[in-house]
Amino acid sequence: MSAQNLVIVESKNKVSKVQTYLDQLYGKSSFIVSYSSGHIRDLPTDSFGLTENYTPTYVFSDGGARRVAELKKLAVNAQNVYLATDDDREGEAIAWHIKECLGLDDTDFERITFNEITENALKSSIAASRGLLYDKI
């Protein structure tokens, strides 16, 4: 079996519907869909979260380390990784955190967004994949 493409959405509630449409569009073994549960890490609440060089330090949110471990297992053998978080500033930041936690370079993933979960929206988003918009983070 060839390597699958991995799509990471924010919400567990979106997984089944996105998976169904991708299976219909590309075949059952082409994509696997997983989720981040939104923010996987944040600044610590017990400090300013900055080093002496003003570099931010992050801690995992509740369940974040567990989600990252699961996503790493899926990403290691994925043909392509698609970060499909929401199409807003917060979604862009969540995608960046996922990228960083998975150890992905900018050439190791595609950023996709869609405003509705339909076959057409998913097909269009994959066709129009892009990198992160760092100016939105």
Side-chain angles (χ1 to χ4, degrees):
M1 182 200 301
S2 63
Q4 292 178 310
N5 297 293
L6 172 62
V7 175
I8 303 170
V9 295
E10 281 184 53
S11 170
K12 185 177 183 177
N13 296 333
K14 295 178 184 178
V15 170
S16 178
K17 194 168 187 179
V18 172
Q19 185 72 63
T20 298
Y21 285 136
L22 291 174
D23 288 350
Q24 291 170 0
L25 285 166
Y26 301 103
K28 284 196 178 265
S29 61
S30 296
F31 283 86
I32 186 165
V33 182
S34 192
Y35 65 98
S36 69
S37 281
H39 291 278
I40 54 174
R41 64 183 190 169
D42 204 342
L43 294 170
T45 58
D46 61 348
S47 68
F48 287 116
L50 297 173
T51 66
E52 290 179 13
N53 296 328
Y54 301 102
T55 304
T57 58
Y58 297 101
V59 295
F60 285 113
S61 59
D62 290 342
R66 191 171 53 255
R67 291 304 319 139
V68 168
E70 177 66 26
L71 294 172
K72 278 184 178 183
K73 287 179 194 174
L74 296 171
V76 71
N77 292 318
Q79 181 176 343
N80 297 300
V81 175
Y82 293 93
L83 303 180
T85 54
D86 292 347
D87 189 19
D88 57 16
R89 186 172 183 262
E90 183 179 23
E92 208 70 26
I94 291 170
W96 177 81
H97 280 280
I98 294 169
K99 168 211 173 288
E100 291 292 307
C101 288
L102 297 183
L104 301 174
D105 290 327
D106 283 342
T107 58
D108 294 336
F109 70 93
E110 298 290 329
R111 177 80 169 96
I112 61 173
T113 60
F114 40 88
N115 293 321
E116 60 184 9
I117 302 176
T118 63
E119 283 188 22
N120 286 339
L122 290 166
K123 189 174 184 179
S124 295
S125 69
I126 290 171
S129 65
R130 59 172 172 80
L132 280 171
L133 299 177
Y134 286 99
D135 61 335
K136 283 183 91 175
I137 299 174

